[in-house]
Amino acid sequence: MDTRSTARAHGGTQGVYSHTSSATGTEMVFSVFVPDGDGPFPVLWYLSGLTCTHANVTEKGEYRAACAEAGIIFIAPDTSPRGDAVPNDDAYDFGQGAGFYVDATQAPWAEHFQMRTYIEDELPALVAAQFPADMSRQAITGHSMGGHGALTMGLRHPDRFRSLSAVAPICHPIYCPWGEKALSGYLGDDRAAWRAYDAVALIEDGARVPEILIDQGEADPFLSEQLQPDTLQAACSDAGIALTLNLQPGYDHSYYFISTFMAAHVRWHAVRLKA
């Protein structure tokens, strides 16, 4: 692991790091905020959305004060493998910057786009080895495509993540344009194979967590076509999962929205991580 930068912030250290990933076959960059103290500290993972890198939330997320107060490590990975040798697409919603947190099975994507394995297995092992992290106390959240990633990973691993939240997540990607394009491109045309990467489908197929927190802007231009929180609400109701869905009037899809509610999500996770 190489250290790209560190800076003092809010009673802690914000770092940016890189390493060569065996999962993606590329150099991967991620950021970590570590509060002051001896640790070990519980961990909150944040997965970013389309077109983002680790830098978007690191620079705009406004999470550090809340994490320092609660004594939580905050980790922000990249959204895809990158590099000249990595396949790409001209559109913003596929290819580099749009890994959708899946393990691709289709050429040419399968060689490098193994983001599920990277986030679920490889990066946690690196974090456990390099930082004062209590890996028995983990939580996960994310925004948009990253909200989709957080929901699906949290539902697949209820024994790993003590709490699960998202901000404006893609809730039902097998039935939205962004999801259909990405899942067909990365996984092929067998829609049954997509269900492991769809929060609503996972719940329909038996996945359970005690509760989920969602904040969603009512002025989000992607609300009805791409995000569809009503489908998650219906699935949680049928499954007996306690869903808190906060529809926030006037807020859009941007980091102005995300940063407004980030501290509240950190504090919500802190209660569950320390229970």
Side-chain angles (χ1 to χ4, degrees), residues 112-172:
H112 297 293
F113 281 73
Q114 301 295 307
M115 289 300 293
R116 174 179 175 175
T117 295
Y118 177 69
I119 300 294
E120 289 185 348
D121 299 324
E122 184 178 8
L123 189 55
L126 181 64
V127 166
Q130 298 289 340
F131 297 94
D134 181 354
M135 303 304 281
S136 70
R137 295 185 291 159
Q138 297 183 67
I140 192 166
T141 188
H143 168 243
S144 194
M145 178 187 72
H148 138 77
L151 288 173
T152 55
M153 290 185 187
L155 286 163
R156 288 195 302 261
H157 298 285
D159 55 337
R160 179 186 303 185
F161 299 107
R162 291 195 181 187
S163 50
L164 169 60
S165 78
V167 180
I170 303 171
C171 294
H172 204 9

Side-chain angles (χ1 to χ4, degrees), residues 196-260:
Y197 299 106
D198 183 293
V200 172
L202 283 166
I203 293 170
E204 290 174 347
D205 293 345
R208 296 291 183 269
V209 292
E211 58 182 335
I212 300 172
L213 171 65
I214 303 289
D215 275 280
Q216 172 63 62
E218 287 189 336
D220 191 321
F222 307 113
L223 177 57
S224 60
E225 183 180 32
Q226 303 282 12
L227 308 179
Q228 304 173 19
D230 55 310
T231 62
L232 181 64
Q233 188 173 44
C236 287
S237 177
D238 290 343
I241 296 172
L243 172 66
T244 300
L245 175 58
N246 299 319
L247 296 175
Q248 305 292 357
Y251 285 94
D252 60 15
H253 201 68
S254 71
Y255 266 88
Y256 295 113
F257 166 57
I258 299 164
S259 63
T260 300

Side-chain angles (χ1 to χ4, degrees), residues 73-127:
I73 288 176
F74 188 98
I75 303 173
D78 201 348
T79 55
S80 78
R82 299 178 190 272
D84 293 340
V86 177
N88 200 9
D89 188 89
D90 291 336
Y92 75 94
D93 56 357
F94 194 67
Q96 294 187 37
F100 262 82
Y101 305 101
V102 307
D103 278 354
T105 59
Q106 304 300 299
W109 313 102
E111 181 179 358
H112 297 293
F113 281 73
Q114 301 295 307
M115 289 300 293
R116 174 179 175 175
T117 295
Y118 177 69
I119 300 294
E120 289 185 348
D121 299 324
E122 184 178 8
L123 189 55
L126 181 64
V127 166

